[in-house]
Amino acid sequence: MKDFFNKLLTGMSLGIVVCLIPNALVGEILKLMIQHFPTIAPFLQTILNVTLIAMSLLPVVIGVMIGIQFKLTPIQMTSVGLATMVGSGVITFSETGMTMAGIGVVINIGITAGLAVVFVQFLGNKLKDYTLLLMPALSLFIPGLIGLFILPYVKSGADVVGLGIATLTNLQPVLMGMLIAMIFSILIISPISTIGVATVIMLSGVSAGAANLGVCASGVGMAIASYRANNFGTALAHVASAKIQMRNFFMKPKIASPTILTAAILGALAGVFNITGDPYSAGFGLAGFVGPLKYLSIEQWSTTSMFLAATLFIILPIVLNLLFIRLFERKVKWIAPEDYKVTYE
């Protein structure tokens, strides 16, 4: 069972990254350019629309990625993808036709994909010569329709969790901002996808902003801490994804101490200064400057907001991490540069 869920979560994480990163990297920049360069706005809008198509194909890609993890056949794999699309909530029907928008309900995508995997594995070779004809259809009609049936209930549950976090954050923005930022600073160096968690529980507002800052704290902190043990390129890559340190973190969890403390301070400041985000930006941090650009797009570009974005997403993560890394390395002697050595063997 543990192996099943591990493969399921790995496939989901890969699918989320593949489908959401194109929009995350260029989406906010394109929106800004469209406003200021009207002559090329149609072309830029086309590029933006292409990234939105990729986002809406998330259920299919997750289904296929999960199928790869389980080493399914091509027919089984695509059948899982089709069933997952049906249960995702991406597609809605009305009198005017079919609409495909958004990424759907991520937790229901995972549930439907899991059911579809069990279903196609159960069928195996039982259909024999009729596998190509029947397996995709049966996958649509059984696990796909089960996913579609439970969709409203799962969505309501996810919305309640998201609303609960948002409510608690509104009541205690500083405390909740600290907790969320610390949690996400750890998640980003674990096998769990920060993007997946953020979209599953639909983080928004200050909760999403705090999560972003937590991811920033780890990315910047791990880059600084690992610089002396690795080359410049490897160190810089940590800003995009601190998961590079996953193995070292599990071997020596204390290497995350500086980044967790940095995240706690940044998360508290997110509550103080109302740093916001949305479910699709919350897990990215500084990758593609998604965090600060999303904050600026929500709060509007002004001298104050730009100053806060630069200070909280870039300057303070550097300053605080330098301070805490020095403290834990020279005073407390918990960490050493070689603890952050990355090997590719």
Side-chain angles (χ1 to χ4, degrees), residues 107-120:
I107 189 168
N108 206 60
I109 289 173
I111 293 170
T112 308
L115 291 172
V117 167
V118 172
F119 180 74
V120 298

Side-chain angles (χ1 to χ4, degrees), residues 156-189:
S156 297
D159 289 345
V160 168
V161 173
L163 181 61
I165 292 173
T167 302
L168 289 173
T169 306
N170 290 333
L171 291 173
Q172 291 287 342
V174 175
L175 179 59
M176 285 297 293
M178 287 179 63
L179 290 174
I180 291 170
M182 291 168 71
I183 290 168
F184 271 74
S185 73
I186 296 170
L187 289 180
I188 192 62
I189 47 178

Side-chain angles (χ1 to χ4, degrees), residues 235-314:
L236 192 62
H238 287 75
V239 178
S241 178
K243 286 192 187 300
I244 297 171
Q245 287 292 331
M246 190 187 303
R247 176 185 175 276
N248 293 334
F249 172 65
F250 280 109
M251 297 295 290
K252 295 182 179 179
K254 60 187 178 182
I255 68 170
S257 301
T259 61
I260 293 172
L261 289 177
T262 299
I265 295 172
L266 293 175
L269 292 175
V272 173
F273 294 106
N274 195 42
I275 305 301
T276 55
D278 66 16
Y280 313 128
S281 72
F284 280 102
L286 268 182
F289 290 99
V290 174
L293 287 174
K294 175 54 69 175
Y295 163 69
L296 289 169
S297 71
I298 293 173
E299 300 298 327
Q300 306 304 320
W301 292 70
S302 66
T303 304
T304 301
S305 64
M306 287 190 288
F307 172 77
L308 284 173
T311 302
L312 293 177
F313 283 91
I314 301 173

Side-chain angles (χ1 to χ4, degrees), residues 84-334:
T84 305
M85 190 69 175
V86 172
S88 67
V90 166
I91 296 174
T92 56
F93 292 89
S94 65
E95 294 180 358
T96 56
M98 183 181 77
T99 302
M100 186 170 74
I103 65 170
V105 181
V106 176
I107 189 168
N108 206 60
I109 289 173
I111 293 170
T112 308
L115 291 172
V117 167
V118 172
F119 180 74
V120 298
Q121 286 182 329
F122 169 76
L123 288 179
N125 296 319
K126 292 183 177 68
L127 301 176
K128 297 182 180 179
D129 294 341
Y130 299 97
T131 297
L132 181 59
L133 292 175
L134 296 178
M135 185 171 285
L138 290 174
S139 298
L140 285 170
F141 300 149
I142 300 177
L145 286 179
I146 291 174
L148 186 62
F149 175 76
I150 65 174
L151 175 64
Y153 307 101
V154 175
K155 184 179 185 302
S156 297
D159 289 345
V160 168
V161 173
L163 181 61
I165 292 173
T167 302
L168 289 173
T169 306
N170 290 333
L171 291 173
Q172 291 287 342
V174 175
L175 179 59
M176 285 297 293
M178 287 179 63
L179 290 174
I180 291 170
M182 291 168 71
I183 290 168
F184 271 74
S185 73
I186 296 170
L187 289 180
I188 192 62
I189 47 178
S190 78
I192 300 171
S193 168
T194 53
I195 305 166
V197 171
T199 51
V200 163
I201 61 178
M202 296 303 286
L203 279 182
S204 61
V206 174
S207 303
N212 248 319
L213 289 173
V215 176
C216 285
S218 274
V220 173
M222 291 299 177
I224 295 171
S226 68
Y227 174 69
R228 282 175 292 169
N230 303 287
N231 59 53
F232 178 74
T234 300
L236 192 62
H238 287 75
V239 178
S241 178
K243 286 192 187 300
I244 297 171
Q245 287 292 331
M246 190 187 303
R247 176 185 175 276
N248 293 334
F249 172 65
F250 280 109
M251 297 295 290
K252 295 182 179 179
K254 60 187 178 182
I255 68 170
S257 301
T259 61
I260 293 172
L261 289 177
T262 299
I265 295 172
L266 293 175
L269 292 175
V272 173
F273 294 106
N274 195 42
I275 305 301
T276 55
D278 66 16
Y280 313 128
S281 72
F284 280 102
L286 268 182
F289 290 99
V290 174
L293 287 174
K294 175 54 69 175
Y295 163 69
L296 289 169
S297 71
I298 293 173
E299 300 298 327
Q300 306 304 320
W301 292 70
S302 66
T303 304
T304 301
S305 64
M306 287 190 288
F307 172 77
L308 284 173
T311 302
L312 293 177
F313 283 91
I314 301 173
I315 298 172
L316 275 182
I318 294 173
V319 172
L320 290 173
N321 272 300
L322 281 171
L323 175 65
F324 287 125
I325 289 169
R326 185 183 182 89
L327 173 66
F328 281 94
E329 186 178 313
R330 300 188 181 182
K331 301 295 182 183
V332 183
K333 298 188 184 299
W334 268 26

